Amino acid sequence: MTAEKTAFPLPKIQPTTVPLLHLLWRVYGYLRPYWKQTLGAYASLLVILGLNTLIPQFIRWIIDTGVEGNQPNVLTWSVLALLGLTLVKGVLNYFEGTLSEVASQNVAFDLRNAIQKKLTQLSFSFHDQSETGELLSRAVQDVERIRFLTGRATIRILDGALLLMVTAIVMLVMDWKLGLLVLVTMPVLVYRALHFGSRFRPLSLLVQKQLAILTTAVEQNLRGMREVKAYVQEDAEIERFDHENDRWFELSARSAQMQAVNLPLLFLIANMGTVAIILYGGRQVILGQLTIGEIIAFITYLGQLIEPVRRLGMIIPAVTIAGSAAERIFDTLDTVSEVRDLSGAVPVGEIKGDVVFEAVSFSYGAKKVLDEINFSVRAGQTVALLGSTGSGKSTIISLIPRFYDPTAGRILIDGSDIRKATLHSLRSQIGIVMQDATLFAGSFRENIAFGSETATEDDIVNAAQAAQAHEFIVRSQQGYDTRIGERGVTLSGGQRQRLAIARALLLDPKILILDDATASVDAETEHLIQLAFQNLIRGRTTFVIAHRLSTVRNADLIMVMEKGRISASGTHETLLNSSRLYSEIFNRQLVRKETLS
C-alpha cells in the first residue's frame, strides 16, 4: 500500500442525541461504592490547592524580605522551608494519583463485569445483529476511556478549575488592575475550550466506530483464517482491511488536525497574560507601586494558570471521547433482552418431556419463518425433522429452549407454557448437540464438564465412555488434562461431536436437541457417533434434524417441513405411502447418502 491515502467523503458530523451531562452523571454514579478512595483523592487535591495558593506568596516574601531586604539567614531558612512545602506537595500528589486510580480501576472492573453479564444474558436476536469486534471494542477500549475519565481526567479538570478561581481571586486582591488585565483572557479560553469539545465529541464517536469495524475485520480474519487460505482470499481480505484502515486514517487525521489547531491557540491566548504582566507590571515596579516579589508572584500564579489551560486543551477531548464511549457502553447495558424471565416466572421442577406446539408462528423481522405449527410429542419419543434449507427446522429446535420466543402461539412442556418458567430452570433440562459443536480453549475435562458444576471425575469419564470419546482422550498426551485449541480446531469433526455428546450426557437432560450430521465423517467414526447417539437419546424426548436413513427409520414421529409449515407428519412407513415430498426427500437425499457412505 502506498503512502498516499484514499480520499473518503467524510460524513457530516451530527450532534449526539444523549446530553453529555446526563452521560457523565451516570458514569460518576459508578464511583459511589468507592467513596472513601474518591474522598481521599479530592481531600489531597484541596490541600494541594492550598499549597499552590500559598507558595507564590511565600516566594514573594522571600524575594522582598530575604533578597531585597539583604537578609541571608532569612533567605536560607525560607528556601529550606520552600523545599519542605514542595516535598509535602509531592507526597500529596502521590496519594491523590494513587487513590483516584484505585477508584477508577474499580469503576472499570465493575463496567467490564456488567458488560460481560449483559452480553451473556442478551438473547440470540441481539447477537444475530451485532458484530463481535464492536462488542469487544466497547468492553475493552470504551471502558478504558471511562476509567481515565473517572480517574485522572476529572482530577485534572477540578484541579484546573479550582486553581483558576482561587488564583484569580488572589491576583485581584494583590492588584486588581493587573489582575483584570491578566484575567481578561480567561473567558476567551473557556469559550474556545468548550467550542472545541462540542465539535470534537461527535467526531471522536465516528473514530471509535471505525476502530470497532477494524477490530471486527481482524477478529473475523483470525476466526476464518482456514477459509481465507482455502479460498485464496488473502489479497482480497488485505485490500478490504486497507479500505477500512484508510477510512480510519481519514477520520483520525481530521481529529488530529482539530487538536493541532486548538492547543497552540489556547497557549497563544494564555501567553498574552504574560506579556501584560511584563509590560504593565514592569512599569508599576519602576514607579514604585509594586515590588519585585509581587511581580514574581504574579508570574508564578500565571504559570499555574497556564498549566490548567494546557490540561483543559488536552482533557476536554478526553472527556468528549469518554462521553462517546459512555454512550456506546450504556447503549449495550440498556438493551432489553427480547427473551427474558417474565414477571411471575417460577423455576420449573423436574420435567417428564411432553412437548406441544400450539399454533406457533415466528418471524425474523418482516420475514415469516414458521406459520401455524401444531404438533404433540410424548415424553421419551424421538422426532425427526426433514426439509430443505430455510424450511424452518432449525427455528423449531431454537424455540424449545427459548433462544427465541414465538411471535404467535405457545409452546408447552408437560402442559405448562415455557414462558412461565425461568430460563435457567428450563434450559438446564434441555441438552443440545449441534453439527458444529462449540468447544473452548481448555482441557478435555473442562469441556465435558461445561454446564455441570457438580460433576465428579467418575461422572466425566463415564460420560466420555458412553459418548465413545474415552479412547481418543486417554491416547492424547495428557489424557483428560490435555488442552485443545480454540473452538477445538486441533480435533476432527467426529471427535468434537463426541465431546459435545459427552457434555450433554453429563447434563442428564430430559429433552434433547440433535443435529444428526454425520455425512462428512468416515464409516468408522459414524458408527461410533451413532453408538453415542443411541446412549444419549435413551429415555429422553429427542428432536433430531435428520441427515441419515437410520435416524429417520427409528424415529417415532417424522415431520416434513416446507416453507415454514409442516407439510406431512407420521412414521416412516405411513409417510412413504402418503407424502410425495417425503418420498422424494427420502429417495433423493437419504437413500443416496446411505448408499454413498
Side-chain angles (χ1 to χ4, degrees), residues 20-165:
L20 179 59
L21 289 178
H22 174 78
L23 291 170
L24 295 182
W25 179 259
R26 186 172 175 183
V27 166
Y28 289 125
Y30 281 85
L31 281 171
R32 291 191 190 102
Y34 314 105
W35 65 270
K36 292 181 180 178
Q37 294 92 332
T38 305
L39 182 63
Y42 290 111
S44 300
L45 171 66
L46 292 176
V47 178
I48 293 170
L49 177 64
L51 291 175
N52 284 334
T53 305
L54 173 63
I55 287 175
Q57 293 298 324
F58 192 40
I59 292 174
R60 175 189 64 79
W61 183 82
I62 292 173
I63 297 297
D64 290 341
T65 305
V67 178
E68 288 291 314
N70 195 23
Q71 299 185 48
N73 289 335
V74 171
L75 178 63
T76 300
W77 288 109
S78 298
V79 170
L80 290 175
L82 182 62
L83 179 61
L85 291 174
T86 304
L87 290 174
V88 171
K89 181 180 173 183
V91 172
L92 290 170
N93 276 321
Y94 166 79
F95 282 110
E96 174 198 298
T98 301
L99 292 173
S100 65
E101 188 67 15
V102 168
S104 64
Q105 288 288 1
N106 276 293
V107 169
F109 175 84
D110 290 343
L111 278 174
R112 289 192 183 100
N113 279 343
I115 292 173
Q116 170 65 13
K117 180 179 178 181
K118 190 68 176 185
L119 292 178
T120 303
Q121 293 175 339
L122 284 171
S123 58
F124 275 59
S125 57
F126 172 84
H127 293 285
D128 290 342
Q129 301 171 20
S130 301
E131 294 183 346
T132 303
E134 181 164 348
L135 296 179
L136 287 173
S137 177
R138 296 185 186 191
V140 179
Q141 295 166 338
D142 288 347
V143 169
E144 183 62 19
R145 292 183 174 102
I146 297 299
R147 182 203 62 77
F148 178 70
L149 171 65
T150 55
R152 296 180 183 178
T154 303
I155 283 283
R156 295 292 177 262
I157 291 174
L158 285 178
D159 179 30
L162 291 173
L163 186 61
L164 178 62
M165 289 188 293

Side-chain angles (χ1 to χ4, degrees), residues 376-410:
S376 177
V377 180
R378 295 193 306 273
Q381 287 189 318
T382 297
V383 179
L385 299 171
L386 295 177
S388 59
T389 300
S391 60
K393 308 185 300 295
S394 297
T395 304
I396 286 180
I397 64 173
S398 295
L399 292 175
I400 297 171
R402 286 193 69 197
F403 291 157
Y404 305 90
D405 276 338
T407 51
R410 63 176 185 161

Side-chain angles (χ1 to χ4, degrees), residues 283-300:
R283 291 181 179 274
Q284 295 295 92
V285 171
I286 293 173
L287 296 174
Q289 296 179 0
L290 286 176
T291 65
I292 294 293
E294 288 174 321
I295 289 295
I296 292 177
F298 260 99
I299 293 176
T300 305

Side-chain angles (χ1 to χ4, degrees), residues 444-473:
F444 284 122
R445 177 183 290 101
E446 291 168 339
N447 273 278
I448 294 175
F450 185 80
S452 179
E453 299 176 356
T454 59
T456 65
E457 184 70 16
D458 288 341
D459 295 333
I460 294 171
V461 173
N462 290 337
Q465 289 174 336
Q468 310 299 313
H470 178 71
E471 288 190 11
F472 79 79
I473 292 176

Side-chain angles (χ1 to χ4, degrees), residues 337-347 402 405 418-426:
S337 179
E338 292 184 6
V339 178
R340 59 189 184 277
D341 287 338
L342 301 182
S343 177
V346 295
R402 286 193 69 197
D405 276 338
I418 60 176
R419 284 173 290 198
K420 295 181 180 179
T422 60
L423 286 171
H424 182 271
S425 66
L426 174 68

Side-chain angles (χ1 to χ4, degrees), residues 439 442-450 457-484 490-492 494-503 505-506 528 532:
L439 300 178
S443 65
F444 284 122
R445 177 183 290 101
E446 291 168 339
N447 273 278
I448 294 175
F450 185 80
E457 184 70 16
D458 288 341
D459 295 333
I460 294 171
V461 173
N462 290 337
Q465 289 174 336
Q468 310 299 313
H470 178 71
E471 288 190 11
F472 79 79
I473 292 176
V474 296
R475 287 198 306 264
S476 59
Q477 188 174 9
Q478 294 177 303
Y480 281 84
D481 291 321
T482 302
R483 297 185 65 82
I484 62 178
T490 59
L491 304 175
S492 68
Q495 289 173 331
R496 288 198 300 271
Q497 193 164 38
R498 280 178 279 167
L499 284 175
I501 293 171
R503 179 190 295 166
L505 278 166
L506 194 61
L528 292 173

